[in-house]
């Protein structure tokens, strides 16, 4: 006979899935009320949280930052389990290092020039996010002419307005020794650098794909942004620690989810009256009353394709349209171990290098996959490990490159930027024979590969042009949409068969670990409230 106790199966052992499991299991009495199971397609817990080590340093292959500590549930957990302090060095342990901004060709840029474009970019972003109201209305006019379409077009129109406002100020770039650059081309390169940083923040491969209006809905917690000394995985392990052995099943990838949207389930159907049937890739089957789906938006996008057949019958139109409209991008991290990184005689250390690429006259020696990278820097001030971020098609291309190609592309890029820099020129002449890369030789490489991983197919979600915050709310709606319905034939439609959690289901905190946390809590509470165990 089938179990009379309602069974909840959670698909995915990431932040959302384990938060839901933790809440359901810990709630007093729910162990007797519900049977809970977590199935994870991979061989580890954590999902897009994946703490690792590289050359003796603790690094994050996935989620890295607590975005604001005041009110963050992730920060609260990390505090409670004493994960914010560690004797082992870790990524970004000393926060931001003072940047050195160099233009392609090795020309160091005046800090006042960089700051003026940085201020412009930040003001445009503050306006887009609703944090700034301009007195002169210039940005309001730009937004109106932009018709609220993309963030990228708004930013570029803001740059054009800036150039119009400073017309006639003169072109004094030559005084900085950058004869082949105009002042405007340098400013455009700096602006593009900040755009590329924004691409990694949002995962949008191109800011022209990012909805302008939705920027005002996105929320961050106040307070500083920090990393977790003992690793992000410590938070995940804490959530999982209360669950008994066997509740989390690894290596259990779901191939198909059968559900009953139309009242076809018979109350008297023998040994099993559970509404949802899960098929696994190994051929096994599991039945459930409720399934909480926490897979990534990328997997859902693949899953709604006709060839996939992840859901049978297919999800309703309103749900598939929301999945299709929302954006899901790829962001990858590249770690490089240098040897040697420090020359005792000349005190040479790799800087926090911000790279300004020429937008119209690219150096053909620098590969295209490097040209939209904003910076490369030590993961902390004295580390021999460097980190660079990639987004969009460059992130995907990075995944396809072998280590030799990566090292070659990095070396050619660094040679272009550091060879003529006055910051390094003396030491280069003395100890490197004029070759900057020879003093910063890469001996080991490690990269994330979120785009090609079939369990994720990308990194995190964004609100694309053509979608809106409403689509994030639709993502969170359980199925079937209506409550249980009985008919004269004894058939009924059980409610809450498929529930959805994950960062892409939170309207104001999408793309974050705390958004995933909140969504897991939301769906656990939905089920507990359904069984009248708690009231929310």
């Amino acid at each position: 006979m089938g179990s009379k106790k309602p069974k909840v199966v959670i698909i995915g052992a990431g932040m959302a899935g384990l938060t839901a499991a933790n809440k359901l299991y810990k709630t007093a009495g729910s162990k007797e009320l519900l049977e809970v199971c977590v199935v994870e397609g991979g061989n580890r817990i954590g999902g897009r949280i994946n703490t690792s080590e590289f050359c003796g340093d603790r690094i994050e292959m996935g989620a890295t930052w607590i975005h604001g500590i005041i009110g963050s549930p992730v920060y609260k957990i990390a505090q409670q389990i004493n994960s914010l302090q560690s004797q082992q060095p870790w990524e970004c342990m000393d926060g931001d290092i003072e940047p050195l901004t160099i233009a392609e060709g090795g020309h160091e840029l005046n800090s006042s020039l960089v700051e003026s474009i940085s201020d412009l970019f930040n003001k445009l972003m503050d306006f887009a996010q609703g944090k700034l109201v301009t007195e002169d209305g210039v940005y309001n006019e730009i937004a109106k002419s932009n018709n609220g379409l993309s963030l990228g077009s708004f930013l570029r129109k803001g740059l054009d307005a800036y150039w119009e406002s400073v017309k006639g100020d003169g072109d004094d770039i030559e005084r900085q020794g950058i004869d082949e650059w105009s002042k405007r081309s340098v400013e455009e390169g700096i602006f593009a650098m900040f755009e590329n940083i924004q691409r990694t923040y949002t995962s949008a491969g191109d800011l022209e794909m990012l909805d302008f209006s939705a920027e005002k809905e996105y929320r961050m917690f106040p307070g500083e942004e920090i990393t977790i000394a003992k690793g992000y995985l410590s938070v995940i392990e804490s959530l999982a620690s209360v669950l008994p052995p066997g509740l989390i099943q690894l290596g259990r990838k779901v191939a198909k989810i059968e559900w009953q949207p139309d009242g076809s389930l018979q109350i008297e159907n023998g040994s099993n009256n559970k509404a949802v049937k899960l098929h696994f890739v190994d051929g096994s089957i599991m039945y459930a009353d409720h399934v909480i789906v926490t897979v990534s938006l990328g997997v859902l996008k693949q899953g709604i394709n006709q060839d996939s057949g992840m859901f049978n019958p297919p999800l309703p139109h309103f749900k598939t349209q929301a999945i299709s409209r929302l954006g899901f991008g790829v962001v990858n991290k590249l770690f490089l171990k240098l040897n040697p990184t420090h020359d005792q005689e000349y005190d040479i250390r790799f800087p926090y290098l911000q790279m300004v690429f020429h937008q119209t006259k690219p150096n053909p020696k620098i590969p295209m996959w490097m040209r939209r990278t904003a910076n490369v820097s030590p993961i902390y001030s004295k580390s021999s490990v460097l980190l660079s971020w990639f987004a969009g098609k460059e992130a995907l291309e990075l995944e396809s490159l072998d280590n030799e190609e990566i090292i070659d592309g990095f070396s050619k890029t660094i040679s272009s930027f550091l060879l003529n820099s006055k910051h390094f020129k003396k030491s280069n002449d003395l100890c490197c024979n004029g070759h900057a890369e020879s003093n910063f030789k890469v001996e080991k490489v490690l990269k994330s590969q979120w785009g090609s991983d079939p369990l994720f197919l990308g990194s995190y979600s964004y609100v694309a042009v053509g979608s809106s915050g409403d689509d994030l709310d639709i993502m969170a709606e359980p199925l079937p949409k209506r409550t249980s319905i009985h008919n004269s034939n004894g058939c009924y439609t059980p409610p809450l068969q498929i529930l959805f959690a994950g960062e892409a289901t939170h309207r104001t905190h999408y793309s974050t670990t705390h958004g995933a946390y909140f969504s897991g809590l939301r769906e656990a509470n939905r089920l507990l409230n359904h069984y009248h165990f708690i009231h929310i």
Side-chain angles (χ1 to χ4, degrees):
M1 296 292 290
S3 171
K4 293 183 179 180
K5 187 189 297 186
K7 183 170 183 176
V8 181
V9 177
I10 300 168
I11 302 176
M15 178 66 87
L18 291 182
T19 300
N22 179 286
K23 176 66 176 180
L24 290 171
Y25 187 80
K26 282 174 60 177
T27 302
S30 65
K31 292 185 287 294
E32 290 71 40
L33 178 73
L34 299 170
E35 179 185 355
V36 180
C37 174
V38 179
V39 293
E40 164 59 48
N43 58 8
R44 63 175 180 85
I45 63 173
R48 283 166 275 173
I49 293 172
N50 186 10
T51 303
S52 185
E53 287 195 9
F54 183 59
C55 301
D57 290 333
R58 182 174 287 125
I59 61 168
E60 303 288 358
M61 298 298 288
T64 304
W65 296 93
I66 296 177
H67 294 290
I69 63 175
I70 300 174
S72 168
V74 178
Y75 179 71
K76 183 178 180 180
I77 295 171
Q79 266 190 320
Q80 292 171 342
I81 62 176
N82 299 313
S83 281
L84 299 176
Q85 301 294 326
S86 174
Q87 296 301 313
Q88 179 184 354
W90 73 94
E91 181 183 342
C92 299
M93 59 185 284
D94 49 9
D96 292 334
I97 306 169
E98 188 68 27
L100 175 67
T101 307
I102 301 182
E104 187 174 347
H107 309 286
E108 292 183 32
L109 297 182
N110 187 295
S111 60
S112 62
L113 177 61
V114 178
E115 287 169 7
S116 67
I117 301 301
S118 174
D119 289 344
L120 168 66
F121 189 89
N122 290 334
K123 284 179 180 178
L124 288 166
M125 286 302 305
D126 284 347
F127 179 84
Q129 293 167 354
K131 302 173 187 175
L132 174 69
V133 178
T134 59
E135 295 180 0
D136 57 12
V138 171
Y139 294 167
N140 287 308
E141 290 302 314
I142 296 172
K144 288 178 183 177
S145 67
N146 195 40
N147 292 322
L149 290 178
S150 78
L151 177 67
S153 60
F154 169 76
L155 291 172
R156 281 290 158 160
K157 287 178 180 178
L159 178 60
D160 288 340
Y162 166 79
W163 281 332
E164 186 66 27
S165 70
V166 297
K167 186 181 293 183
D169 282 0
D171 191 324
D172 58 357
I173 284 297
E174 287 76 15
R175 298 177 192 175
Q176 297 189 43
I178 315 180
D179 297 333
E180 68 272 27
W181 296 64
S182 67
K183 181 178 182 182
R184 185 161 174 154
S185 65
V186 173
E187 290 176 335
E188 184 178 21
I190 297 169
F191 197 84
M193 179 183 73
F194 290 116
E195 287 177 314
N196 289 330
I197 294 172
Q198 195 65 27
R199 290 169 63 231
T200 63
Y201 288 167
T202 62
S203 89
D206 190 323
L207 297 184
E208 293 287 347
M209 302 162 63
L210 202 62
D211 184 74
F212 174 80
S213 300
E215 283 295 305
K216 289 184 172 64
E217 289 196 90
Y218 186 82
R219 294 290 179 268
M220 287 181 63
F221 290 113
E224 62 180 318
E225 296 187 73
I226 64 170
T227 55
I228 302 176
K230 292 181 180 175
Y232 235 112
L233 194 60
S234 63
V235 174
I236 289 291
E237 291 170 341
S238 174
L239 291 169
S241 65
V242 305
L243 306 176
L247 191 146
I248 302 173
Q249 301 178 18
L250 300 179
R252 298 275 279 158
K253 186 176 181 181
V254 174
K256 183 167 64 174
I257 303 171
E258 288 190 64
W259 60 299
Q260 309 289 337
D262 56 1
S264 59
L265 182 70
Q266 295 282 341
I267 297 176
E268 311 85 9
N269 66 346
S271 62
N272 198 310
N273 62 353
K274 298 190 181 302
V276 186
K277 183 179 181 181
L278 299 176
H279 298 258
F280 295 87
V281 293
D282 63 6
S284 60
I285 290 172
M286 185 182 292
Y287 294 91
D289 296 277
H290 313 282
V291 173
I292 303 178
V293 177
T294 74
V295 300
S296 75
L297 178 59
V299 172
L300 287 176
K301 283 178 176 290
Q302 183 189 67
I304 62 174
N305 292 334
Q306 290 183 348
D307 294 339
S308 170
M310 181 177 178
F311 296 93
N312 184 27
L315 296 178
H317 185 70
F318 78 92
K319 184 73 79 170
T320 59
Q321 288 299 296
I323 292 171
S324 297
R325 284 189 294 259
L326 287 168
F328 192 71
V330 182
V331 175
N332 278 317
K333 301 168 81 172
L334 172 64
F335 296 92
L336 308 111
K337 172 66 167 66
L338 298 183
N339 183 31
T341 58
H342 186 125
D343 186 287
Q344 294 289 344
E345 185 176 357
Y346 300 107
D347 192 26
I348 303 166
R349 294 189 188 276
F350 200 94
Y352 185 120
L353 177 62
Q354 292 191 147
M355 297 181 288
V356 175
F357 292 95
H358 205 297
Q359 299 300 292
T360 57
K361 299 176 182 178
N363 180 347
K365 293 182 179 179
I366 298 177
M368 290 304 298
W369 57 268
M370 281 291 301
R371 296 196 64 82
R372 296 183 78 190
T373 308
N375 49 55
V376 57
S377 66
I379 59 173
Y380 54 87
S381 59
K382 296 182 180 180
S383 178
S384 61
V385 175
L386 306 183
L387 169 63
S388 193
W389 294 71
F390 296 80
K393 63 181 182 181
E394 294 80 26
L396 286 171
E397 184 173 356
L398 178 69
E399 296 187 25
S400 69
L401 300 175
D402 60 34
N403 289 354
E404 288 72 23
E405 290 174 303
I406 292 172
I407 292 171
D408 181 67
F410 171 81
S411 298
K412 288 176 178 175
T413 304
I414 294 309
S415 179
S416 173
F417 278 87
L418 298 187
L419 180 59
N420 296 319
S421 168
K422 62 184 179 183
H423 192 80
F424 291 94
K425 187 161 179 53
K426 182 179 179 180
S427 57
N428 285 338
D429 290 342
L430 290 171
C431 66
C432 306
N433 297 317
H435 296 285
E437 75 273 15
S438 64
N439 198 56
F440 300 115
K441 186 176 180 180
V442 178
E443 66 174 26
K444 196 172 182 181
V445 167
L446 179 66
K447 61 185 176 183
S448 59
Q449 301 185 71
W450 296 107
S452 56
D453 191 322
L455 294 176
F456 305 100
L457 300 175
S459 302
Y460 36 92
S461 63
Y462 62 93
V463 181
V465 172
S467 63
S468 71
D470 291 343
D471 285 328
L472 293 161
D473 285 341
I474 292 171
M475 289 292 299
E477 290 189 23
L479 298 173
K481 198 171 181 180
R482 56 183 180 272
T483 57
S484 59
I485 296 175
H486 296 257
N487 63 32
S488 59
N489 295 323
C491 297
Y492 77 112
T493 302
L496 304 181
Q497 294 175 40
I498 306 178
L499 303 93
F500 295 86
E503 52 85 14
T505 71
H506 199 290
R507 183 162 188 150
T508 57
H509 291 295
Y510 55 91
S511 81
T512 66
T513 54
H514 57 262
Y517 177 93
F518 286 140
S519 74
L521 209 58
R522 179 193 67 220
E523 298 312 309
N525 284 333
R526 193 193 302 274
L527 285 174
L528 291 169
N529 185 59
H530 173 69
Y531 287 103
H532 307 293
F533 194 76
I534 61 172
H535 296 281
I536 57 175

